[in-house]
Amino acid sequence: MSTHAGSCHCGQVAFEVTGTFGGALVCNCSYCRRSGNMLAFTTPENFRLTTPQKDVSTYLFGKQTISHFFCANCGISTHGSGVATDGSRMVAVNLRCVPDIHLEQLEIQAFDGAKL
Ligand SMILES: [Zn+2]
């Protein structure tokens, strides 16, 4: 496991995430198909904002169970959070915001979020 630095485009929202990321989930829900997120899931312990929480904007839609976080300055979707089916808190990181991850090497898993 290693720690990767990530951020939105302008840098107002930045984070560190620890883990090994060989794959990403690409979701077809109405939000992800527009934002283009490539998501990897981790625990809150492995995710740390390195910029102030106040600079993170939150978008909720549908059942409002998932918080979609983005930068209000540059508009980039950086991560999200929600509760897994077992009740544990999960963070979904947009791997597109992590420059040292080679996106073309990720194993893509399609997720049918549109059905939820
Ligand atoms: Zn930004």
Side-chain angles (χ1 to χ4, degrees), residues 12-34:
Q12 185 170 288
V13 177
F15 59 85
E16 287 179 350
V17 62
T18 300
T20 303
F21 301 103
L25 189 141
V26 172
C27 174
N28 65 356
C29 83
S30 56
Y31 181 79
C32 290
R33 63 179 293 142
R34 288 170 171 80

Side-chain angles (χ1 to χ4, degrees), residues 8-12 71 74:
C8 67
H9 190 255
C10 74
Q12 185 170 288
C71 170
C74 69

Side-chain angles (χ1 to χ4, degrees), residues 3-71:
T3 298
H4 304 269
S7 70
C8 67
H9 190 255
C10 74
Q12 185 170 288
V13 177
F15 59 85
E16 287 179 350
V17 62
T18 300
T20 303
F21 301 103
L25 189 141
V26 172
C27 174
N28 65 356
C29 83
S30 56
Y31 181 79
C32 290
R33 63 179 293 142
R34 288 170 171 80
S35 63
N37 283 340
M38 295 174 77
L39 299 173
F41 292 87
T42 189
T43 60
E45 293 73 39
N46 285 325
F47 181 88
R48 189 171 72 86
L49 268 183
T50 55
T51 50
Q53 182 74 45
K54 68 170 176 55
D55 290 332
V56 179
S57 296
T58 306
Y59 178 60
L60 297 163
F61 71 95
K63 294 173 188 160
Q64 311 214 335
T65 51
I66 302 170
S67 298
H68 301 271
F69 300 119
F70 66 99
C71 170

